[in-house]
Amino acid sequence: MPKRLTNKKKWKADLLLLNDDAVDEDDRPIIVYEFKRVVFYNSLGITSTEKYQSRQDKREVVKRIKISMDRSITETRNRIQILDVIYQITRIFWNEDDHEMELSLAHVD
């Protein structure tokens, strides 16, 4: 009997959550990303249309990944960390049929 594959995702990344209540020693607000969980992903290619549209928004998409469906992930509050690089989510596309979502990622400034 053949094995049943439940997940074909190859790579690991960290899902980070923005913490709004963080302050430094002088009570100034700072940007802190807290680890939420590990996500498994597959890398996808970037289309020329997506590159063109992202340049109009002044954010260049450098990576696109496919992960399992998670409705709690948003563009404003979440970041993806792959190895030591933190990426900002610029676009989310939900694929309801396959229960997956595609994330377009740009470097965090």
Side-chain angles (χ1 to χ4, degrees), residues 62-77:
V62 293
K63 193 170 194 71
R64 208 171 90 191
I65 62 173
K66 184 189 330 182
I67 64 171
S68 296
M69 181 80 72
D70 185 1
R71 297 254 183 219
S72 66
I73 296 176
T74 62
E75 295 174 353
T76 55
R77 305 228 0 120

Side-chain angles (χ1 to χ4, degrees), residues 4 6-9 37 39-42 44 65-73 92-103:
R4 185 176 144 202
T6 57
N7 193 350
K8 294 182 180 180
K9 310 292 187 286
R37 67 180 178 92
V39 292
F40 290 92
Y41 73 93
N42 276 343
L44 301 173
I65 62 173
K66 184 189 330 182
I67 64 171
S68 296
M69 181 80 72
D70 185 1
R71 297 254 183 219
S72 66
I73 296 176
I92 299 174
F93 175 74
W94 287 280
N95 188 353
E96 300 284 343
D97 297 334
D98 296 334
H99 199 68
E100 293 177 335
M101 59 195 294
E102 294 179 8
L103 306 176

Side-chain angles (χ1 to χ4, degrees), residues 77-89:
R77 305 228 0 120
N78 294 102
R79 301 290 186 262
I80 300 287
Q81 182 176 1
I82 300 173
L83 296 177
D84 292 332
V85 182
I86 297 177
Y87 295 98
Q88 177 182 5
I89 301 170

Side-chain angles (χ1 to χ4, degrees), residues 12-24:
K12 277 186 181 181
D14 295 333
L15 180 64
L16 306 176
L17 182 65
L18 178 65
N19 183 2
D20 291 338
D21 300 329
V23 292
D24 63 358

Side-chain angles (χ1 to χ4, degrees), residues 13 23 25 31 36 41 43 48-49 56 68 70 83 89 109:
V23 292
E25 61 274 355
I31 297 174
K36 186 174 179 183
Y41 73 93
S43 187
S48 60
T49 305
Q56 289 179 343
S68 296
D70 185 1
L83 296 177
I89 301 170
D109 293 332

